[in-house]
């Protein structure tokens, strides 16, 4: 069986940057999971003594506190600053961008619309920078039920599909008198999605490697399933089932932006054994 990796896959710039910061820092804490890959977080804890804390009650202010790649809410950042904590910001610059746009546009009287998952930590952080109540949506249908006013500013969660973002932008432009559209989708996300789409069209089976709580990894799975029904999301090589590959001639492999190369290599090696 032929095994082919997607043209683009795995760690994005923001994740590489955050991992490098954590490794150099050592003996530190991250406020929330640094990235959405538990196995890489476990490696940082084991090899570099970088622990994860979820609340202020468990923070050790004697240790550096690393802000996760997805960012945190503005009020949480202010609380850390008030504690005179040694803050090391590993927020991805592509996440910082929509935060700043929300703050600036809402100050100017625009109603902020965020295309994304309101339960995702990145989106929660972006929402917190708006000076008026932002609207978070995942579809045009949700917009049709809302009263927004005439001045709209649109941003996106960094890992959403560009096609869906453009549909929402087009709808808003057709309905409201003033719409500011900011494309805040990460280039790496777009490139990974395009590469997975291309590979899935010519594969009998697709394996997506990444955290099952990762938005961009789940997005890759949805894209691949559109072209290749036999698409599977796994976190490591131990979840692979040999029966998946019976009668298959071509296996494509992609990976989420938080998936380290050492996990991908193990997956490819095990698939190659079949």
């Amino acid at each position: 069986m032929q095994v082919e990796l997607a043209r683009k896959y795995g760690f994005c710039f923001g994740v590489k940057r955050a991992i490098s910061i954590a490794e150099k820092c050592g003996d530190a804490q991250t406020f929330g999971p640094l990235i959405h890959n538990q196995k890489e977080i476990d490696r940082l804890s084991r090899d570099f003594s970088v622990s994860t804390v979820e609340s202020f009650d468990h923070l050790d202010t004697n240790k550096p506190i690393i802000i996760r790649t997805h960012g945190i809410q503005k009020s949480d950042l202010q609380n850390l600053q008030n504690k005179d904590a040694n803050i090391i910001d590993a927020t991805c610059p592509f996440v910082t961008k929509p935060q700043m746009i929300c703050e600036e546009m809402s100050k100017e009287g625009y109603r902020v619309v965020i295309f994304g998952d309101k339960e995702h930590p990145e989106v929660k952080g972006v929402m917190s920078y708006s000076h008026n109540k932002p609207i978070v949506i995942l579809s045009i249908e949700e917009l049709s039920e809302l009263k927004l006013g005439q001045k709209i500013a649109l941003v996106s969660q960094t890992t959403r599909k560009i096609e869906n973002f453009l549909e929402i932008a087009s709808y808003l432009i057709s309905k409201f008198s003033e719409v500011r559209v900011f494309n805040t989708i990460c280039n790496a996300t777009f490139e990974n999605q395009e590469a997975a789409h291309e590979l899935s069209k010519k594969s009998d089976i697709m394996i997506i490697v990444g955290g099952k709580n990762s938005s961009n990894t789940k997005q890759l799975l949805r894209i691949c399933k559109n072209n290749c029904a036999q698409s599977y999301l796994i976190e490591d090589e131990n979840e692979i089932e040999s029966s998946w590959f019976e009668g298959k001639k071509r296996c494509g492999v992609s990976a989420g932006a938080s998936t380290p190369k050492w996990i991908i290599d193990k997956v490819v090696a095990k698939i190659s054994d079949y």
Side-chain angles (χ1 to χ4, degrees):
M1 182 179 63
Q2 181 181 355
V3 181
E4 182 178 350
L5 281 158
R7 177 173 44 82
K8 294 281 187 178
Y9 64 90
F11 272 0
C12 63
F13 160 76
V15 170
K16 286 179 183 177
R17 174 177 172 269
I19 296 295
S20 176
I21 288 171
E23 289 178 344
K24 289 176 182 176
C25 189
D27 195 24
Q29 310 155 94
T30 65
F31 194 76
L34 183 67
I35 61 173
H36 276 166
N37 190 285
Q38 188 58 47
K39 294 186 182 300
E40 181 67 0
I41 289 172
D42 291 343
R43 184 189 72 84
L44 290 171
S45 175
R46 181 183 65 248
D47 297 346
F48 296 91
S49 300
V50 176
S51 59
T52 303
V53 294
E54 298 284 358
S55 71
F56 288 103
D57 295 337
H58 298 102
L59 281 175
D60 182 351
T61 53
N62 295 314
K63 290 183 177 182
I65 298 167
I66 303 171
I67 306 299
R68 62 190 174 196
T69 52
H70 293 111
I72 60 176
Q73 296 183 50
K74 189 176 181 180
S75 59
D76 288 337
L77 179 60
Q78 290 171 339
N79 283 336
L80 290 175
Q81 291 169 339
N82 292 340
K83 291 177 180 291
D84 292 324
N86 178 12
I87 302 169
I88 300 171
D89 194 357
T91 306
C92 175
F94 286 101
V95 173
T96 304
K97 180 181 176 183
Q99 290 176 349
M100 297 302 99
I101 290 170
C102 279
E103 186 164 47
E104 181 181 344
M105 289 292 97
S106 61
K107 278 183 180 178
E108 294 182 17
Y110 288 82
R111 189 69 180 275
V112 176
V113 175
I114 304 170
F115 171 45
D117 177 2
K118 64 183 178 181
E119 298 302 322
H120 193 281
E122 176 192 322
V123 175
K124 288 181 178 179
V126 172
M127 290 172 64
S128 71
Y129 279 81
S130 179
H131 289 268
N132 50 43
K133 187 177 180 180
I135 300 296
V136 183
I137 54 99
L138 282 169
S139 69
I140 291 175
E141 288 71 26
E142 293 174 72
L143 281 174
S144 63
E145 303 169 359
L146 301 172
K147 293 182 179 179
L148 299 176
Q150 288 300 310
K151 293 178 65 175
I152 309 295
L154 175 66
V155 298
S156 176
Q157 184 178 347
T158 56
T159 53
R160 307 312 301 187
K161 287 181 68 175
I162 188 68
E163 294 88 351
N164 299 139
F165 178 72
L166 292 174
E167 287 175 2
I168 290 168
S170 179
Y171 174 86
L172 289 172
I173 291 168
S174 70
K175 297 290 183 181
F176 300 96
S177 60
E178 186 175 349
V179 181
R180 299 284 301 275
V181 178
F182 299 88
N183 180 8
T184 53
I185 295 175
C186 171
N187 286 339
T189 296
F190 176 72
E191 290 172 354
N192 282 6
Q193 290 175 355
E194 280 294 295
H197 173 71
E198 291 170 7
L199 183 56
S200 63
K201 287 195 293 185
K202 57 182 182 180
S203 299
D204 301 315
I205 179 173
M206 282 292 299
I207 302 297
I208 313 301
V209 191
K212 292 178 180 175
N213 62 337
S214 164
S215 173
N216 77 84
T217 303
K218 289 187 287 187
Q219 192 78 273
L220 288 176
L221 178 65
R222 284 192 287 269
I223 289 168
C224 291
K225 275 188 172 292
N226 286 334
N227 298 317
C228 179
Q230 302 299 310
S231 296
Y232 301 91
L233 171 58
I234 62 171
E235 295 200 343
D236 64 19
E237 74 282 3
N238 297 313
E239 295 183 27
I240 294 173
E241 296 183 22
S242 60
S243 60
W244 295 347
F245 303 94
E246 292 176 4
K248 304 296 190 298
K249 294 181 179 180
R250 186 170 192 148
C251 174
V253 178
S254 184
S258 297
T259 310
K261 188 175 183 298
W262 59 270
I263 292 180
I264 300 167
D265 288 345
K266 287 184 177 181
V267 168
V268 171
K270 186 164 184 177
I271 294 172
S272 298
D273 287 343
Y274 298 125

